[in-house]
Amino acid sequence: MEPDQLKNWLSLLLTIAWLLPLGGFALEIFAGFWSTRLKKTAAYIAVGCIGAGFVCSLTALCSWGMHTGYWAEHDYLTKFFQETPLGGDHAPADGHAADGHHGSEHDAHHDEHSAHGAEHGAHGHEHDESKYPTVFAGRYYQLAEFGSLQLEIGYYIDSLTLVMFTMVTLIATCIHVFAIGYMSDELTEDYVDHFVHVGEGHLHRPGRFYRFFAFLSLFSFSMLGLVIAGNVFMVFIFWELVGICSYLLIGFYTERKSASTAANKAFIVNRVGDFGFLIGLMILWTSFGTFAFSEPSAEKAAENPGLFQMLRDDHGQMTVEIADDGSHQVVLTGPEGTHKTIPYYLLVAAGIGIFCGCVGKSAQFPLQTWLPDAMEGPTPVSALVHSATMVAAGVYLVGRFYPMFTPEVLVTIAYIGAITLFMAATIAVVATDIKRVLAYSTISQLGYMMLSLGVGGWVAGLLHLITHAFFKSLMFLCSGSVIHGCHHEQEMPKMGGLRKKMPITAYTMLIGVIAITGLAIPGTYFGFQFAMSGYHSKDAIVATSLAYWGLNDQHVLLFILPLAGAGITAFYMFRLWFYTFAGEPRDQHIHDHAHESPAVMWVPLVILSFFAIFCAYDGEQGPLWGLLVHSEPAGMDHGFDPAAPGQIAVPGHHHVHEKMSGDATVHDVAGRYALAVAIAGAILAYLFYGARLLNPADVRRQVAGLHEFLVEKWRFDELYDAMFVKPVHVISGWIAALDRVVIDGFLHGTSKAAVDVSTWDRRFDEQVIDGLVNWVGDRTFRVGRSLRFVQTGRLRQYVMFIAGGLFGVLMLVYILTL
Amino acid sequence: MPELNFCILIGAVLFVSGVVCMATKRNAIGVLMGVELVLNAANLNFVAFARYTALGLDGQILSLFVIVLAAAEAAVALAIALNFYNNHLTIDVDRADDLHG
């Protein structure tokens, strides 16, 4: 296929995969009307849409690899058979096992060929000479145009987009299928919510099965839109859509006070981050005048370059000048090769602003408080929110927007990630709610991803995003299975010994636990590494942070914290497993009623656990790593030298692989450390909760203060309560008092004055004006009355008067003229 | 000018006679007669001034108007007197005090 044809083909497939869930949403939201609440029609539509989306995404990934010659160039399959003596024996065995698990699911089987049936040789990739661009971008529709700024609905497809699409649709499909089983108690006209008390009894309401699936579909649509987005404005639109979907799903049991509060909290905390996002967007608009990521075709790029092309050259380097006043200026390459400069701090502010949005969405310190509360949603939602969507969006955006971040922003990201991962891991150690442990573990793992991106491990961070999505969705679905099996009991201290009751759940969960803790047998035996996906991704992260420390020796915390976090992660994850599944039951009643979940729930577990083991197969030589490296931002493989003004170096691939002590590379050393602390953590967890040789209560008594501090989640909720909620209440109180006293007083005073003035006016009118008029009238009347007697009616008298008067007048005239 | 003074004197006597007649007669006809005397006294004055001064014909013409006016006035007044008599069976002006205040 020619590049143009391939571009059209890929965009067609991904658009179908993206829009299908939207169509599904539209159908399902009306399903309650044209079907019935008691049928699973809506669920089948949802699964069909997202499943078809997965097929399209996978087809797109495969045809991309075939047509660009990526598979042929790397040729994982041939190398696998050549270099691995036992490869020929093992590969079919794995394929067979997968076949058995998947049953008729042909697509998943297909994926496994591309995912794990391949090996060795991602390094030294030379895709630059290929006639196919790394990125295919285009636009569907132009929303608006303001001067040079175009707001578009566009697409941006590179190998990262393809991998994310496949991952999101695959996990979402598994979760949709799982939810058919998990949400089946909503298939009723009369659902009793035992958590809501109304009067004497519980709340009764119609089931909302179809609505749940409609929201799930909308959620998938939003996340896919975010991944395919061709510009940062479109990212923002779908970013908000993801936010509103999580709001709807977290608050699914909307009658429960805790659920509606948690939904509000998630939404409001995300708004805080989005405020930063908006500021970042405004800075980009004013200083760059475009929102597009980059424009792959050279002639279009010359006319209308994307953000990345304006900021960086082909080798990923920024040009920084020192202006006359000593400030640093970044040189941007505008349309037609024109140049303009913007202040360096503005670029840093834009980066921090965009990262603020990611902090909110990915629940990083200090906006991590919403994620544990988001457990109020049904468990499939938690699984979706915590793996493939929502929280993944923040990490994905940091990865996608990577070229816009200066080293100063990156170090901020790294520290935020390091703080988050350590803090969340410590809280997870004391949490007793099974979902809450997983929630904090998610925050901690997201911290790892951010840290990794921050220290220059772009591929490592996104690899961890993918692997984490698989094993975290697996563990959440396992916990959902446990909760379902234990009749909505979530407290681990009431569980224990469930392994025998629900073996599939227990062992798939164990796979997830081993994957997340990164336990492995070091070295290669019979051509295989006995390591699961989490081992590879976490190793890569710790190695990058070690290399980063090697280049910037003041940032030692960025290595220590993830290392400590690895140990703590191992401890609390094994604690969770031992607590729930091992030993003697703690609550006989719950144990007696526990049961394994139906097949519709455990089949997704098996599929996910397969990917949790194999998705990052062979680590840095494996196919997933290679795919991600393919879309790595330019210049990342060489790293960046220290540059003004921050003087921060960013390690490249060779820094991670250079010799450190003796024969061991940085990567090996970091891997040994990480594995050692992980094993230590796991052993400690076994002693406490598996073998029960040590009593956790003793330790709790010893460090009561610390325990309290951790149980209260580092007192962040209290802190925010004191910092924001209380002051708002106080200020609101003041404003209310101001209203009551000043505004109301003023108004009341004015009206009283008006009444008083009117009263005086009335008195004046009544007494003065009326008095005067009446007096004049009265006088006139009296005078008239007194004169009436003159009118006698006697004619002769009148004649006398006339004569007398005439005489008088004449006499007067006579006298006066005398 | 003795003729003018004589005429004015005659006029004054006539006027006073008329006024006295009006003031003293209780009979309405008598009062009307008094009125005629007063009007004719005025006429005499007009004519006398016209005759002995430089007024020309104005005085005579005005007196002609007064004569016509007096005739009309007498007609109306006699009609009032007749109507009054129809209503009150008298023409005593002292009895006609319906319009007193």
Side-chain angles (χ1 to χ4, degrees):
Chain A
M1 262 195 230
E2 287 303 301
D4 273 352
Q5 284 173 299
L6 182 60
K7 171 181 157 176
N8 291 338
W9 173 238
L10 289 180
S11 66
L12 175 71
L13 281 174
L14 292 194
T15 309
I16 293 171
W18 168 40
L19 293 181
L20 266 178
L22 180 66
F25 164 72
L27 284 176
E28 290 144 22
I29 201 74
F30 299 115
F33 299 103
W34 56 261
S35 175
T36 147
R37 288 180 189 283
L38 305 179
K39 283 191 181 153
K40 294 183 174 175
T41 324
Y44 296 141
I45 296 172
V47 172
C49 287
I50 194 75
F54 170 64
V55 174
C56 290
S57 310
L58 189 66
T59 314
L61 181 67
C62 292
S63 49
W64 176 84
M66 274 192 297
H67 291 296
T68 58
Y70 182 81
W71 299 146
E73 189 186 323
H74 294 81
D75 206 7
Y76 292 110
L77 211 58
T78 319
K79 283 178 187 168
F80 182 76
F81 285 105
Q82 282 172 353
E83 293 179 11
T84 314
L86 292 173
D89 298 330
H90 279 251
D94 287 338
H96 179 72
D99 231 281
H101 292 154
H102 296 164
S104 60
E105 205 156 336
H106 174 72
D107 338 309
H109 178 57
H110 218 268
D111 182 57
E112 143 222 330
H113 270 295
S114 60
H116 91 107
E119 205 173 45
H120 298 309
H123 271 294
H125 58 285
E126 272 124 22
H127 52 266
D128 294 342
E129 296 109 43
S130 163
K131 67 172 175 172
Y132 296 97
T134 322
V135 174
F136 299 97
R139 82 172 186 210
Y140 298 114
Y141 180 68
Q142 180 165 327
L143 288 174
E145 187 168 0
F146 305 103
S148 66
L149 183 87
Q150 293 165 346
L151 299 183
E152 294 173 349
I153 298 296
Y155 57 89
Y156 186 91
I157 300 169
D158 60 3
S159 57
L160 174 63
T161 314
L162 292 163
V163 170
M164 283 292 288
F165 251 77
T166 313
M167 181 275 280
V168 170
T169 48
L170 172 59
I171 289 180
T173 308
C174 291
I175 291 171
H176 276 63
V177 173
F178 180 88
I180 297 177
Y182 189 85
M183 299 305 287
S184 55
D185 56 353
E186 291 274 352
L187 284 168
T188 168
E189 291 290 351
D190 183 34
Y191 181 86
V192 184
D193 196 330
H194 294 283
F195 292 88
V196 183
H197 301 275
V198 180
E200 295 291 303
H202 297 295
L203 176 83
H204 291 252
R205 62 168 171 82
R208 293 194 285 239
F209 190 75
Y210 69 93
R211 194 195 289 183
F212 182 78
F213 280 92
F215 289 164
L216 275 191
S217 291
L218 187 63
F219 206 174
S220 311
F221 160 73
S222 314
M223 184 62 195
L224 293 176
L226 198 153
V227 173
I228 203 174
N231 59 68
V232 68
F233 182 77
M234 182 177 164
V235 168
F236 187 69
I237 296 176
F238 285 93
W239 190 262
E240 295 303 320
L241 262 176
V242 171
I244 191 67
C245 291
S246 70
Y247 172 82
L248 292 172
L249 285 167
I250 293 167
F252 183 73
Y253 298 119
T254 179
E255 294 87 359
R256 298 181 192 167
K257 177 89 172 114
S258 55
S260 63
T261 314
N264 283 335
K265 188 172 178 182
F267 201 70
I268 291 167
V269 170
N270 266 294
R271 292 287 77 64
V272 177
D274 291 348
F275 184 64
F277 199 138
L278 270 179
I279 291 175
L281 284 186
M282 284 187 259
I283 296 176
L284 290 179
W285 183 347
T286 47
S287 35
F288 287 78
T290 178
F291 282 146
F293 290 129
S294 78
E295 176 55 61
S297 96
E299 56 263 34
K300 278 191 202 162
E303 193 183 312
N304 218 349
L307 291 170
F308 303 161
Q309 287 150 329
M310 288 178 81
L311 185 64
R312 295 185 185 260
D313 61 14
D314 292 342
H315 305 290
Q317 299 295 333
M318 281 190 294
T319 317
V320 180
E321 302 179 329
I322 297 180
D324 297 338
D325 57 353
S327 64
H328 289 85
Q329 301 278 329
V330 185
V331 181
L332 304 181
T333 312
E336 321 293 351
T338 53
H339 290 286
K340 66 171 176 177
T341 58
I342 61 164
Y344 194 76
Y345 71 83
L346 210 54
L347 191 62
V348 174
I352 300 270
I354 299 287
F355 178 59
C356 275
C358 304
V359 165
K361 195 75 45 188
S362 287
Q364 297 294 293
F365 168 83
L367 298 181
Q368 81 286 20
T369 54
W370 68 267
L371 194 57
D373 290 16
M375 296 296 98
E376 287 296 334
T379 306
V381 176
S382 309
L384 201 56
V385 165
H386 283 254
S387 58
T389 59
M390 189 79 183
V391 295
V395 179
Y396 173 78
L397 182 64
V398 173
R400 178 55 87 211
F401 219 55
Y402 206 75
M404 299 304 288
F405 295 135
T406 63
E408 291 76 22
V409 178
L410 290 181
V411 81
T412 315
I413 295 176
Y415 270 102
I416 294 281
I419 294 168
T420 310
L421 82 88
F422 181 73
M423 188 183 67
T426 54
I427 299 173
V429 168
V430 298
T432 53
D433 183 322
I434 185 167
K435 280 173 78 179
R436 230 160 243 277
V437 176
L438 291 174
Y440 280 107
S441 128
T442 303
I443 299 178
S444 178
Q445 299 304 311
L446 291 166
Y448 270 107
M449 296 168 206
M450 288 293 184
L451 168 87
S452 174
L453 290 164
V455 297
W458 190 89
V459 181
L462 290 171
L463 181 71
H464 199 53
L465 176 66
I466 310 275
T467 59
H468 171 261
F470 283 115
F471 56 68
K472 187 49 65 67
S473 55
L474 166 65
M475 284 194 286
F476 258 110
L477 294 190
C478 287
S479 78
S481 173
V482 169
I483 293 166
H484 190 76
C486 292
H487 304 280
H488 293 278
E489 182 55 57
Q490 302 193 6
E491 282 296 315
M492 290 194 298
K494 294 187 180 167
M495 298 171 183
L498 291 174
R499 186 178 36 174
K500 296 193 183 65
K501 288 278 189 169
M502 26 186 27
I504 300 173
T505 307
Y507 290 112
T508 49
M509 183 77 160
L510 185 61
I511 289 171
V513 168
I514 294 174
I516 193 176
T517 50
L519 285 190
I521 301 168
T524 308
Y525 304 96
F526 315 113
F528 278 103
Q529 282 182 312
F530 290 92
M532 294 190 185
S533 61
Y535 168 79
H536 299 295
S537 54
K538 190 169 282 187
D539 238 22
I541 291 174
V542 179
T544 318
S545 58
L546 182 59
Y548 190 81
W549 176 35
L551 293 176
N552 308 282
D553 48 4
Q554 71 272 37
H555 295 305
V556 57
L557 266 183
L558 294 183
F559 175 63
I560 300 294
L561 285 178
L563 199 58
I568 303 173
T569 305
F571 178 75
Y572 69 71
M573 287 317 305
F574 275 103
R575 169 179 178 265
L576 179 142
W577 196 82
F578 287 131
Y579 233 139
T580 314
F581 295 109
E584 296 300 313
R586 290 183 181 77
D587 188 322
Q588 199 60 45
H589 176 74
I590 287 175
H591 187 261
D592 289 344
H593 289 85
H595 57 85
E596 182 61 278
S597 303
V600 71
M601 289 168 75
W602 64 255
V603 168
L605 298 184
V606 174
I607 296 172
L608 285 173
S609 60
F610 173 79
F611 284 99
I613 299 172
F614 291 110
C615 75
Y617 186 74
D618 218 8
E620 301 200 359
Q621 281 76 46
L624 186 57
W625 181 275
L627 274 174
L628 291 173
V629 166
H630 189 83
S631 49
E632 194 177 36
M636 286 303 297
D637 46 346
H638 301 296
F640 294 101
D641 293 332
Q647 299 295 352
I648 298 166
V650 178
H653 292 181
H654 64 277
H655 290 111
V656 179
H657 294 283
E658 67 193 10
K659 294 273 184 290
M660 192 176 174
S661 60
D663 224 12
T665 61
V666 173
H667 192 278
D668 295 339
V669 172
R672 281 176 206 158
Y673 282 138
L675 192 58
V677 291
I679 290 172
I683 290 172
L684 203 59
Y686 178 73
L687 292 179
F688 271 117
Y689 300 98
R692 301 191 189 174
L693 289 174
L694 302 172
N695 190 355
D698 292 340
V699 184
R700 209 175 299 147
R701 265 196 301 280
Q702 291 285 323
V703 288
L706 181 65
H707 181 260
E708 180 90 347
F709 181 64
L710 293 179
V711 167
E712 290 178 8
K713 303 168 264 178
W714 285 43
R715 307 231 165 95
F716 265 101
D717 282 336
E718 285 79 1
L719 179 70
Y720 290 160
D721 198 44
M723 272 171 67
F724 302 114
V725 180
K726 291 256 171 59
V728 166
H729 280 170
V730 170
I731 293 171
S732 312
W734 288 346
I735 292 172
L738 185 81
D739 268 14
R740 253 196 325 276
V741 176
V742 179
I743 309 282
D744 286 8
F746 175 72
L747 286 175
H748 290 164
T750 318
S751 54
K752 193 167 175 340
V755 169
D756 286 351
V757 167
S758 311
T759 313
W760 281 105
D761 192 35
R762 178 180 151 195
R763 281 189 197 154
F764 178 77
D765 270 14
E766 279 178 357
Q767 296 186 355
V768 178
I769 309 283
D770 287 8
L772 192 67
V773 171
N774 287 345
W775 182 81
V776 170
D778 199 41
R779 278 298 112 192
T780 316
F781 184 71
R782 279 164 198 253
V783 168
R785 217 168 153 93
S786 60
L787 284 176
R788 67 184 278 215
F789 302 106
V790 178
Q791 296 285 324
T792 58
R794 292 167 190 268
L795 197 59
R796 294 184 300 131
Q797 201 180 25
Y798 292 169
V799 173
M800 282 305 292
F801 284 160
I802 292 169
L806 184 64
F807 180 73
V809 170
L810 289 176
M811 283 308 289
L812 200 63
V813 169
Y814 177 70
I815 290 165
L816 289 177
T817 55
L818 203 59
Chain B
M1 246 180 253
E3 295 91 348
L4 182 59
N5 285 343
F6 181 72
C7 287
I8 292 173
L9 186 67
I10 298 293
V13 170
L14 270 175
F15 182 81
V16 172
S17 307
V19 169
V20 170
C21 178
M22 279 161 71
T24 53
K25 292 292 180 185
R26 291 170 65 187
N27 193 322
I29 305 297
V31 174
L32 284 175
M33 286 175 175
V35 170
E36 291 301 320
L37 284 180
V38 168
L39 288 173
N40 282 311
N43 274 352
L44 191 58
N45 276 17
F46 277 130
V47 173
F49 280 111
R51 172 67 184 78
Y52 296 108
T53 64
L55 273 175
L57 282 175
D58 290 0
Q60 277 95 331
I61 290 173
L62 205 57
S63 63
L64 276 177
F65 271 111
V66 173
I67 291 166
V68 173
L69 197 77
E73 179 253 323
V76 173
L78 282 173
I80 291 172
L82 277 174
N83 258 319
F84 189 78
Y85 181 79
N86 280 344
N87 289 337
H88 293 85
L89 293 177
T90 175
I91 50 173
D92 184 354
V93 291
D94 284 357
R95 299 276 298 276
D97 60 353
D98 285 356
L99 291 177
H100 75 91

